[in-house]
Amino acid sequence: MQSRFIATPKVFGWMTFFLFLSLPAFFPGHAAGSNGFVIRGARIFDGHKVMEHTDVWVEGGKIKAMGNGLKVPTDVKVVEAAGGTLLPGLIDSHTHAWGDALKKAEVFGVTTELDMFTDIKFMQPTKKAQAAGENLDQADLFSAGSLATAPGGHGTEYGVPVPTLTSPGEAQAWVDARMAEGSDYIKIILDDGHAYGHHRPTLSMETIKALIEAAHTRSKLVVVHISTQEDAKAVIQAGADGLAHLFTDSAPDPDFASIAAAHHVFVVPTLTVLESVGSVASGASLTTDARLEPYLTGDDTSNLKQSFPNLPPTISEKYAEQTVAHLKAAHVPVLAGTDAPNPGTAHGVSIHRELELLVRSGLTPVEALTAATSAPAVAFHLEDRGVIAPGKRADLLLVKGDPTRDILATRDIVSVWKLGVEDDRASYRAAIEKAKEDAARAAQSAPAGVEAGLISDFEDGTPGSKFGVGWMISTDSIAGGKSTGEMKIADGGSNGGKHALEVTGNIDGGLPYAWAGVMWAPGSQPFIPVNLSSKKNISFYTKGDGQTYRVLVFTESGGRIPAQQTFTAGPEWKKISVPFSSFNGTDGHDVGAILFVGGPAVGRFDFEVDDVHLD
Ligand SMILES: [Zn+2]
């Protein structure tokens, strides 16, 4: 697959598929008293430097005053913080936000996300609510909205409509359309995929130059996605304000950092996603950190353990780390960004990994913290945040210990405030714990009927099942695709039976992971995990038009990405038996759904299934 620094097609698609499984609503943070509060005795990292034992008085959502032994009225609530460190709320300078991303972010101390491409249907209402003073229980969103890419180029593969362009003459209208939609800055893709062994269309340098000029005419910043050193140099020289990602195709040339410095660009390396691109699941260590793990959903945990498979061994995240060291020496601003929720990352939590990797690259802990606070505030002209100073927003993060010496201490979170309102981390944690318990409990009890093993023989003339939820149509339309599917009871089943389930439809090529077919779930509703581990195989009979089809199995531990096996439906009934273990090694203890689907090959399809068993 192509350099997928946005969200893999699979993830974006199945994410949508899974939206109705998102966390139960939790309570918004409780408001501070009208006279605010004072945080006493913490070490302060103010966005630039460290101050010992300084008090910070918050009132009306802003920092009112700070100082040693600060005098405040007696009715001002006191937060004792001696031994801890108070930081500006963290800023993640590269994410893709939708769903409950921004809530997750705030729980982990990220109070601002700089989104680098999302669906404007998410961006617009979110920014509107934020401007109205709502959304205090979630990170603030700034967003590029849509991105600039060529038809069929990187960014078009996710099922989100992208207005593409092909020539310099379209640049000003394209930029103006983004501004009308509410984009805060402009994101451009320059990536023909060759660093990753692929080929896909990309914008010409002439069009990129015209886009940069068009954005600058409207006083908008431009961030450009690159994946090679050659492209990075080209866009810097074309006037880009910032780089999204560093290159992993080569060690930095001796002049790279000086070119960046001479052109006053900022750089968002996104080391955590680059490490995952290099086949290392960058987020795996976060999932076993007791300070973080209780706040991770099952989906987050599963995604943090993923990496991008099958990319050329020549690419290396180490090149990006070397480049960070060069940029530091050349005084080029480096900003912390994660590219969540790509494989190996998750919203909020991954900033802590990015900070660790920036330090591994040679930044001091204070420089790494600057990269997640004042540096992005300066780069993106966010004058109200990123520092702790009188008059600034009370977006704050209190941790135990001293992250200005040990960067891992950012994980030991005590409290997070946005506009002086404390995030209700306890309720968030409790909701996650409950969801995990419910899932475990549901997975423990296999429903009646599992022992007998028969799911459906369709002999009663309906698409029902002996246990669980009967068969239903599932298509990629929920992920923005156009594939269609129908099912009906056909005459003449396998083994001399009277009926079978016939599935027909059309796979549309709009999505690379296109699907249409039928879904069955063993629980009381789809995606409730059920323990089927007393059985070892899924078996069924099939016949059809000779095409290749897929069995998809969703498990709780596999997160939102299904495991799959293929089968061929030929002219005669044939028995297919697939062990659970062939679906990414599952033992079947937490199965949420099983699907028989056509796709991703496009066109009409027609197959039948019958006598679906667990044995
Ligand atoms: Zn991205």
Side-chain angles (χ1 to χ4, degrees):
M1 270 194 264
Q2 167 67 4
S3 50
R4 300 146 301 175
F5 293 148
I6 289 175
T8 64
K10 264 197 322 194
V11 173
F12 218 118
W14 296 116
M15 182 75 189
T16 319
F17 198 89
F18 239 67
L19 275 184
F20 61 96
L21 253 197
S22 63
L23 276 176
F26 42 84
F27 305 108
H30 45 86
S34 57
N35 277 324
F37 57 98
V38 61
I39 302 166
R40 288 253 188 233
R43 175 185 304 104
I44 308 284
F45 170 71
D46 71 353
H48 301 285
K49 62 183 187 303
V50 184
M51 295 175 277
E52 297 294 335
H53 304 292
T54 301
D55 302 333
V56 173
W57 181 7
V58 171
E59 194 178 84
K62 292 190 173 163
I63 294 162
K64 184 180 172 72
M66 51 197 294
N68 202 324
L70 202 61
K71 297 233 177 337
V72 299
T74 49
D75 61 343
V76 171
K77 188 186 142 200
V78 176
V79 177
E80 289 295 350
T85 302
L86 188 69
L87 315 155
L90 303 177
I91 300 172
D92 186 334
S93 294
H94 189 144
T95 73
H96 301 280
W98 70 87
D100 51 11
L102 300 168
K103 281 186 178 155
K104 290 180 179 182
E106 190 176 284
V107 166
F108 289 103
V110 173
T111 51
T112 301
E113 282 204 356
L114 306 182
D115 171 90
M116 291 296 157
F117 167 48
T118 188
D119 192 337
I120 61 167
K121 288 195 209 108
F122 174 82
M123 174 188 80
Q124 289 174 336
T126 302
K127 283 169 53 103
K128 193 172 167 198
Q130 190 172 300
E134 297 162 17
N135 291 4
L136 293 176
D137 61 342
Q138 50 187 283
D140 260 19
L141 177 73
F142 293 87
S143 176
S146 201
L147 47 66
T149 193
H154 181 43
T156 62
E157 66 268 54
Y158 304 113
V160 175
V162 174
T164 57
L165 71 170
T166 52
S167 68
E170 299 166 79
Q172 192 67 59
W174 192 95
V175 166
D176 292 350
R178 300 294 78 69
M179 291 181 65
E181 287 168 354
S183 295
D184 294 297
Y185 35 82
I186 298 299
K187 166 91 177 286
I188 300 174
I189 301 289
L190 175 60
D191 195 338
D192 66 6
H194 81 265
Y196 303 101
H198 304 282
H199 296 283
R200 60 186 314 167
T202 194
L203 295 170
S204 68
M205 275 314 295
E206 289 67 38
T207 302
I208 288 175
K209 277 181 196 150
L211 281 163
I212 292 171
E213 236 167 69
H216 288 171
T217 298
R218 303 287 188 248
S219 303
K220 288 288 176 190
L221 278 183
V222 178
V223 179
V224 186
H225 161 118
I226 51 86
S227 63
T228 68
Q229 180 159 211
E230 189 189 346
D231 285 351
K233 284 184 183 174
V235 301
I236 289 170
Q237 280 157 342
D241 299 289
L243 287 188
H245 312 299
L246 270 174
F247 44 86
T248 53
D249 65 323
S250 54
D253 293 341
D255 65 346
F256 178 77
S258 55
I259 293 171
H263 288 83
H264 307 288
V265 295
F266 59 84
V267 174
V268 190
T270 67
L271 298 173
T272 184
V273 80
L274 295 182
E275 192 174 43
S276 303
V277 168
S279 301
V280 175
S282 187
S285 61
L286 301 170
T287 68
T288 54
D289 189 318
R291 299 168 291 189
L292 305 172
E293 185 277 333
Y295 301 89
L296 293 173
T297 65
D299 277 0
D300 292 335
T301 299
S302 137
N303 206 46
L304 288 163
K305 292 177 178 171
Q306 310 264 346
S307 63
F308 293 79
N310 306 324
L311 290 175
T314 48
I315 61 172
S316 170
E317 183 262 347
K318 293 293 172 199
Y319 294 143
E321 291 195 18
Q322 289 169 27
T323 309
V324 168
H326 287 203
L327 293 171
K328 166 183 164 154
H331 307 290
V332 174
V334 169
L335 318 185
T338 60
D339 210 2
N342 267 287
T345 70
H347 285 276
V349 69
S350 284
I351 198 80
H352 300 282
R353 177 66 177 168
E354 186 68 18
L355 292 171
E356 182 185 10
L357 294 178
L358 288 171
V359 170
R360 189 169 89 182
S361 305
L363 266 55
T364 65
V366 164
E367 287 166 343
L369 294 171
T370 303
T373 55
S374 64
V378 169
F380 283 86
H381 308 307
L382 309 175
E383 277 144 24
D384 57 353
R385 68 193 72 203
V387 294
I388 300 179
K392 302 294 183 184
R393 288 167 64 102
D395 291 356
L396 298 165
L397 167 61
L398 178 63
V399 302
K400 287 183 196 155
D402 186 0
T404 67
R405 289 172 189 276
D406 170 15
I407 196 64
L408 300 185
T410 58
R411 302 170 183 199
D412 219 339
I413 297 171
V414 178
S415 293
V416 180
W417 292 271
K418 182 174 137 176
L419 284 173
V421 176
E422 188 174 2
D423 190 273
D424 192 356
R425 300 181 80 239
S427 294
Y428 186 89
R429 177 179 173 151
I432 288 193
E433 199 172 303
K434 183 171 183 307
K436 286 177 181 169
E437 280 169 10
D438 288 352
R441 200 174 305 119
Q444 274 163 15
S445 50
V450 171
E451 248 350 277
L454 177 63
I455 294 174
S456 296
D457 59 14
F458 309 106
E459 290 304 287
D460 65 356
T462 79
S465 58
K466 303 292 176 189
F467 64 97
V469 175
W471 297 91
M472 61 188 89
I473 289 292
S474 167
T475 76
D476 57 20
S477 65
I478 52 177
K482 294 195 182 76
S483 302
T484 56
E486 299 93 43
M487 65 180 182
K488 67 168 204 213
I489 298 300
D491 288 336
S494 61
N495 297 317
K498 285 200 287 289
H499 301 295
L501 184 66
E502 183 173 10
V503 188
T504 56
N506 187 57
I507 301 297
D508 184 273
L511 298 178
Y513 49 91
W515 82 91
V518 288
M519 173 169 77
W520 168 82
S524 55
Q525 51 175 292
F527 304 108
I528 299 284
V530 168
N531 190 346
L532 304 178
S533 63
S534 65
K535 303 295 182 182
K536 297 297 166 229
N537 302 292
I538 302 163
S539 69
F540 56 97
Y541 285 79
T542 187
K543 69 173 189 175
D545 58 9
Q547 296 195 71
T548 298
Y549 294 93
R550 292 178 288 165
V551 191
L552 306 181
V553 173
F554 280 90
T555 58
E556 179 74 3
S557 47
R560 55 186 174 254
I561 301 169
Q564 65 178 39
Q565 289 292 321
T566 57
F567 65 92
T568 305
E572 305 298 332
W573 283 112
K574 183 173 70 174
K575 185 177 180 180
I576 309 280
S577 189
V578 196
F580 276 133
S581 60
S582 66
F583 295 96
N584 283 355
T586 184
D587 64 356
H589 80 278
D590 60 350
V591 175
I594 297 174
L595 287 79
F596 297 117
V597 300
V602 299
R604 296 291 312 171
F605 68 86
D606 186 344
F607 68 98
E608 293 179 43
V609 290
D610 199 6
D611 291 319
V612 186
H613 264 92
L614 301 174
D615 48 41

